[in-house]
Amino acid sequence: MALLTCVFRLEKMVVQEFTVDLNKPLVFQVGHLEERYQEWIHQPIVSKEGPRFFGNDVLEFLTLTKWWAVPTIWLPVVCWLLVKSIRMGHTIQEVAIMALFGIFIWTLIEYTLHRFLFHIETKTYWANTAHYLLHGCHHKHPMDSLRLVFPPTATAILCVPFWKLVAFFATPTTTPALFGGGLLGYVMYDCTHYYLHHGQPSKDPAKNLKRYHLNHHFRIQNKGFGITSSFWDYVFGTLPPSKTTGKNN
């Protein structure tokens, strides 16, 4: 009986080991890992060539984004929003202050999303699948340059509820500048994130920020959630130990 139990467990382990075939589209495979999914995504594969997500070419294309698409598409929108508030009666100085406040709020949103949504623990098929598309793929393939920034289509969709949220708290004339500042913060975040993975900074603060972020990927995944800075990690106590006790990474 004991021998049969050992054989069954061994067969189960073999099946689980070969659940994910990296040579096939991954998105609809990863859910089958169930409880083992979290462990799997935190064993990164360092390769500039990313995996295939979907068998369908159209869906696959929609998951690929060049980094320069983010500033190219969204910086003109930021400018339009800031000018809109100026035309509605605000001075350039007032708009600049509102934009800076929007950037500051974005840094908190950046931290909150990364910590509580992007690093949510999942174990069911569809939850694992959704998480892999959202952020798990980035931790599994951190050097995949075409899936590092957020796809513009998804950003445009998310802009709608965020605009309504800002409009709820702000006035009609301040909403464009505040939202524009937040959107500018997002652009800075995505471009910074890409640079931290693929740039080679030689001086601080960029060099230290790159070390800080790669520490999040390769050493302590449940700490160091800030991308553009470590400010909110400091505020909420999620600084990784290496930030204060070591410099060997």
Side-chain angles (χ1 to χ4, degrees):
M1 184 66 181
L3 178 61
L4 289 175
T5 302
C6 290
V7 171
F8 174 77
R9 288 177 178 175
L10 179 60
E11 289 178 345
K12 186 176 181 181
M13 287 175 64
V14 171
V15 170
Q16 288 180 337
E17 182 180 354
F18 291 97
T19 295
V20 176
D21 184 344
L22 295 175
N23 295 314
K24 296 179 180 179
L26 292 185
V27 168
F28 295 120
Q29 293 189 68
V30 298
H32 294 293
L33 289 169
E34 297 180 342
E35 291 86 355
R36 295 178 60 244
Y37 168 75
Q38 292 295 325
E39 178 185 359
W40 181 78
I41 60 169
H42 289 124
Q43 297 173 347
I45 298 175
V46 182
S47 173
K48 291 185 178 180
E49 294 184 5
R52 188 172 180 91
F53 273 23
F54 296 101
N56 182 282
D57 289 338
V58 175
L59 291 177
E60 181 70 9
F61 173 77
L62 291 175
T63 69
L64 306 174
T65 307
K66 295 280 190 179
W67 75 267
W68 45 259
V70 172
T72 300
I73 293 171
W74 297 114
L75 285 182
V77 177
V78 170
C79 293
W80 177 77
L81 288 167
L82 299 182
V83 170
K84 186 176 179 66
S85 278
I86 293 173
R87 289 181 174 176
M88 297 175 83
H90 290 284
T91 66
I92 294 177
Q93 291 81 359
E94 289 172 339
V95 169
I97 291 172
M98 288 185 281
L100 288 173
F101 183 71
I103 293 173
F104 177 74
I105 293 300
W106 164 258
T107 64
L108 178 58
I109 294 172
E110 168 197 317
Y111 173 88
T112 303
L113 290 176
H114 192 188
R115 180 180 178 182
F116 296 106
L117 180 60
F118 294 177
H119 280 266
I120 189 173
E121 292 193 2
T122 60
K123 60 182 179 179
T124 64
Y125 177 84
W126 287 111
N128 287 348
T129 301
H131 182 268
Y132 182 77
L133 281 168
L134 181 66
H135 193 63
C137 60
H138 178 55
H139 271 266
K140 188 64 180 178
H141 298 271
M143 302 308 290
D144 183 352
S145 63
L146 294 179
R147 294 194 180 93
L148 212 160
V149 300
F150 214 56
T153 302
T155 304
I157 293 172
L158 290 175
C159 276
V160 176
F162 275 110
W163 172 271
K164 291 183 178 180
L165 181 63
V166 175
F168 179 79
F169 289 102
T171 67
T173 61
T174 60
T175 294
L178 290 169
F179 185 83
L183 189 59
L184 179 58
Y186 156 71
V187 173
M188 295 166 63
Y189 151 79
D190 243 354
C191 292
T192 299
H193 192 197
Y194 185 91
Y195 181 69
L196 295 181
H197 279 268
H198 294 282
Q200 298 298 329
S202 58
K203 297 180 180 180
D204 289 335
K207 185 178 180 179
N208 182 64
L209 199 57
K210 179 181 177 74
R211 185 187 305 116
Y212 185 73
H213 184 59
L214 294 185
N215 183 60
H216 168 75
H217 273 280
F218 296 103
R219 286 195 66 244
I220 309 174
Q221 291 89 1
N222 63 348
K223 301 286 184 181
F225 298 104
I227 305 297
T228 52
S229 80
S230 59
F231 175 75
W232 293 111
D233 283 307
Y234 177 80
V235 171
F236 294 113
T238 52
L239 284 172
S242 62
K243 180 69 177 175
T244 55
T245 63
K247 295 183 179 180
N248 47 347
N249 275 338

